[in-house]
């Protein structure tokens, strides 16, 4: 909606939602999938792609369809009720999704059917004479040529690209030369599928890079091929931050923090609040030993939405990586005082499950419950720690006494 307000009349154009999503990204979506290329609401989707003009045009299809249903006398009340229900169900469904080819086929088939119940013959078509002789041959020839042209570019090229792409994905890393050649062939056939091809190509390159049977020189050549393709993708669509982020993380994966920072900073410029980009950029800063930049980026990410487990844990991880014990303690305890205590409790419970041989998560969880005034749960965790780790019995008894004292003081 924020994007619509900037271009309210004609919107941003078809398939441009990703640019609005990136620029206006809401950090509160941290629990959702990483990227949305369509609004999952057809009405907002039309507002973004075509503005108020497009939305009204789309709604007019419902209006005229319902008008045709109301006007026709060929249906009984029951039949009209069923068709009205189809419109209602379709409209309600589209509050939560967007249209695609198959849903459009059904929708326009229904509109065409309703139109046919009220339409009358059009004299322009009814009165036309049938073609014959040379005129017929010319028309058929032109239509045939156009049909072949459209079929080749709209169907065959896509089919051929997809076939080559699947062959590349099916080729094992041990035949990396064949696999790379197939990726190159697929990329050369059409540009429509380039982003998808390059995305899977990078995954294959990571596998090749980890294959110890492949010579280092060959790996280097393959890595350079991958880098050149990802750079080309940023040139093909420079407004999409996903491609800058992909290039940046690729360079970072192969130890080139300098180039990684260049591409990730550009991604941040386009999508300044996108959590994945900020995490990757902070990692790149750490790799380049730009520690202050790494910490400030992690802090900025956390402050965008302090409810985000990923942002909080990453901020804490950066502070711990920099061996800043005071800041780490502050970050760890902050959610206990701002209403986001579930961040700490969930993290510590996860650590207890992942490291059953370590007493520290149990102790930390007990301390967290104490800070929250949940003394019974704190004592329960200390008893569990004492049972599992009897060597720490005396220390645990001291902490238990402190918690019991604090519990008694809280009731006075």
């Amino acid at each position: 909606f924020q994007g619509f307000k900037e271009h309210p009349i004609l919107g941003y154009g078809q398939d441009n939602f990703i640019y609005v999503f990136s620029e206006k990204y809401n950090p509160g979506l941290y629990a959702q999938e990483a990227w949305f290329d369509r609004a999952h609401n057809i009405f907002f989707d039309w507002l973004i792609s075509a503005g108020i003009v497009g939305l009204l045009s789309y709604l007019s299809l419902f209006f005229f369809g319902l008008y045709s249903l109301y006007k026709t006398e060929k249906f009984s009340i029951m039949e009209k009720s069923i068709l009205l229900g189809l419109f209602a169900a379709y409209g309600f469904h589209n509050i939560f999704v967007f249209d695609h080819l198959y849903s459009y086929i059904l929708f326009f088939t229904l509109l065409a059917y309703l139109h046919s119940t009220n339409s009358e013959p059009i004299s322009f078509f009814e009165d036309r004479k049938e073609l014959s002789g040379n005129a017929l041959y010319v028309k058929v020839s032109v239509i045939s040529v156009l049909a072949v042209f459209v079929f080749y570019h709209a169907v065959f090229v896509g089919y051929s690209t997809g076939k080559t792409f699947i062959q590349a994905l099916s080729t094992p890393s041990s035949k990396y030369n064949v696999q790379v050649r197939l990726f190159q062939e697929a990329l050369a056939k059409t540009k429509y599928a380039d982003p998808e091809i390059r995305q899977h190509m990078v995954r294959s390159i990571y596998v090749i890079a980890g294959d110890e049977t492949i010579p280092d020189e060959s790996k280097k050549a393959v890595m350079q091929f991958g880098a050149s393709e990802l750079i080309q993708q940023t040139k093909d669509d420079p407004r999409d931050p996903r491609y800058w982020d992909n290039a940046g993380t690729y360079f970072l994966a192969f130890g080139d923090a300098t180039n990684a920072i260049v591409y990730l900073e550009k991604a941040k410029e386009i999508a300044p609040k996108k959590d994945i980009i900020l995490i990757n950029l902070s990692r790149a800063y750490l790799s380049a030993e730009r520690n202050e930049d790494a910490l400030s980026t992690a802090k900025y990410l956390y402050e965008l939405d302090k409810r985000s487990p990923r942002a909080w844990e990453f901020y804490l991880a950066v502070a711990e990586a920099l061996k800043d014990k005071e800041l780490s303690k502050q970050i760890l305890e902050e959610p206990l005082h701002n209403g986001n205590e579930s961040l700490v409790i969930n993290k510590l419970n996860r650590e207890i499950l992942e490291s059953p041989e370590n007493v520290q998560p149990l102790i930390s969880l007990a301390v967290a419950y104490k800070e929250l005034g949940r003394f019974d749960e704190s004592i329960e965790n200390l008893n569990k720690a004492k049972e599992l780790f009897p060597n720490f019995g005396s220390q645990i008894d001291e902490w238990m006494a402190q918690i019991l004292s604090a519990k008694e003081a809280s009731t006075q």
Side-chain angles (χ1 to χ4, degrees):
F1 185 71
Q2 297 301 318
F4 158 70
K5 290 194 294 186
E6 293 185 7
H7 295 272
I9 307 301
L10 296 176
Y12 286 80
Q14 295 295 318
D15 292 327
N16 286 337
F17 176 79
I18 184 62
Y19 308 128
V20 185
F21 174 80
S22 301
E23 181 185 351
K24 309 292 183 183
Y25 178 74
N26 178 5
L29 295 173
Y30 60 83
Q32 303 295 323
E33 62 183 270
W35 300 100
F36 289 92
D37 53 9
R38 297 284 297 274
H40 282 55
N41 177 307
I42 191 60
F43 307 106
F44 278 108
D45 204 50
W46 275 108
L47 280 177
I48 285 293
S49 61
I52 194 67
V53 173
L55 178 61
L56 291 176
S57 300
Y58 177 72
L59 293 177
S60 70
L61 296 175
F62 284 86
F63 173 79
F64 288 113
L66 292 171
Y67 178 75
S68 296
L69 179 60
Y70 168 78
K71 185 179 177 183
T72 185
E73 298 178 355
K74 295 184 178 181
F75 299 128
S76 67
I77 295 298
M78 179 63 71
E79 290 170 331
K80 285 188 175 183
S81 299
I82 293 172
L83 292 171
L84 179 62
L86 287 176
F87 273 104
Y90 180 72
F92 182 77
H93 176 69
N94 277 353
I95 295 175
F96 309 102
V97 297
F98 50 84
D99 270 317
H100 48 78
L101 179 61
Y102 301 109
S103 64
Y104 273 138
I105 289 174
L106 293 173
F107 183 46
F108 283 99
T109 299
L110 175 60
L111 291 177
Y113 174 62
L114 291 174
H115 174 71
S116 70
T117 64
N118 291 293
S119 62
E120 296 181 359
I122 301 174
S123 59
F124 176 79
F125 295 106
E126 295 293 321
D127 299 338
R128 288 180 65 86
K129 297 180 179 179
E130 293 186 5
L131 293 175
S132 60
N134 293 335
L136 178 61
Y137 295 139
V138 170
K139 191 169 186 177
V140 170
S141 299
V142 170
I143 292 175
S144 299
V145 171
L146 288 175
V148 170
F149 178 83
V150 170
F151 177 83
Y152 176 79
H153 288 281
V155 179
F156 180 77
V157 171
Y159 161 77
S160 178
T161 302
K163 181 179 178 181
T164 305
F165 181 30
I166 291 172
Q167 288 175 339
L169 294 176
S170 304
T171 303
S173 61
S174 58
K175 298 181 179 179
Y176 64 92
N177 285 328
V178 176
Q179 189 176 45
V180 170
R181 177 178 56 78
L182 289 169
F183 276 124
Q184 290 172 330
E185 289 179 5
L187 289 166
K189 289 182 178 182
T190 178
K191 298 191 73 65
Y192 300 137
D194 282 2
E196 186 78 13
I197 295 172
R198 286 168 174 148
Q199 179 182 351
H200 288 276
M201 173 199 72
V202 166
R203 295 175 186 172
S204 297
I205 290 175
Y206 288 148
V207 174
I208 292 171
D211 191 331
E212 297 181 356
T213 65
I214 299 175
D216 289 342
E217 285 300 315
S218 298
K219 290 182 182 179
K220 184 176 180 181
V222 172
M223 292 177 200
Q224 289 174 343
F225 162 67
S228 66
E229 288 298 330
L230 291 178
I231 291 171
Q232 184 59 48
Q233 187 62 53
T234 64
K235 294 177 180 178
D236 292 344
D237 192 353
R239 296 169 57 199
D240 194 328
R242 292 176 296 182
Y243 305 137
W244 294 92
D245 180 64
N246 289 343
T249 52
Y250 182 85
F251 282 118
L252 184 60
F254 291 117
D256 188 351
T258 302
N259 272 319
I261 290 170
V262 171
Y263 284 88
L264 290 168
E265 285 182 338
K266 179 62 178 179
K268 181 190 173 186
E269 179 184 326
I270 300 170
K273 297 180 180 180
K274 193 71 185 77
D275 51 355
I276 291 177
I277 292 172
L278 293 170
I279 288 173
N280 290 332
L281 179 58
S282 183
R283 289 174 53 233
Y285 284 142
L286 275 177
S287 184
E289 298 185 355
R290 292 171 54 175
N291 296 340
E292 290 186 8
D293 290 330
L295 188 61
S296 63
T297 301
K299 181 180 180 182
Y300 168 69
L301 168 65
Y302 170 60
E303 291 180 343
L304 286 173
D305 194 322
K306 293 187 177 183
R307 300 169 301 168
S308 168
R310 178 163 50 187
W312 172 71
E313 291 191 23
F314 182 75
Y315 185 26
L316 177 61
V318 172
E320 290 176 343
L322 297 178
K323 296 181 171 43
D324 191 332
K325 293 183 178 179
E326 183 178 344
L327 179 60
S328 298
K329 184 175 183 295
Q330 177 186 330
I331 295 170
L332 183 62
E333 295 177 353
E334 182 175 341
L336 299 175
H337 308 293
N338 64 14
N340 295 315
E341 63 273 5
S342 62
L343 295 178
V344 178
I345 292 172
N346 290 340
K347 179 179 187 297
L348 293 173
N349 277 321
R350 189 172 66 248
E351 289 180 359
I352 290 170
L353 292 174
E354 293 173 352
S355 304
E357 76 288 348
N358 188 357
V359 68
Q360 188 57 50
L362 278 167
I363 301 300
S364 298
L365 184 57
V367 172
Y369 281 133
K370 173 180 174 291
E371 290 291 323
L372 293 169
R374 294 162 62 173
F375 300 109
D376 291 338
E377 290 168 281
S378 180
I379 293 170
E380 180 184 343
N381 274 276
L382 287 179
N383 283 327
K384 185 177 180 181
K386 187 175 181 179
E387 179 183 343
L388 294 173
F389 303 95
N391 293 339
F392 293 89
S394 58
Q395 290 176 277
I396 292 174
D397 286 339
E398 291 179 13
W399 293 325
M400 189 90 72
Q402 294 175 12
I403 293 172
L404 289 171
S405 176
K407 179 181 180 181
E408 183 178 347
S410 69
T411 59
Q412 293 178 353

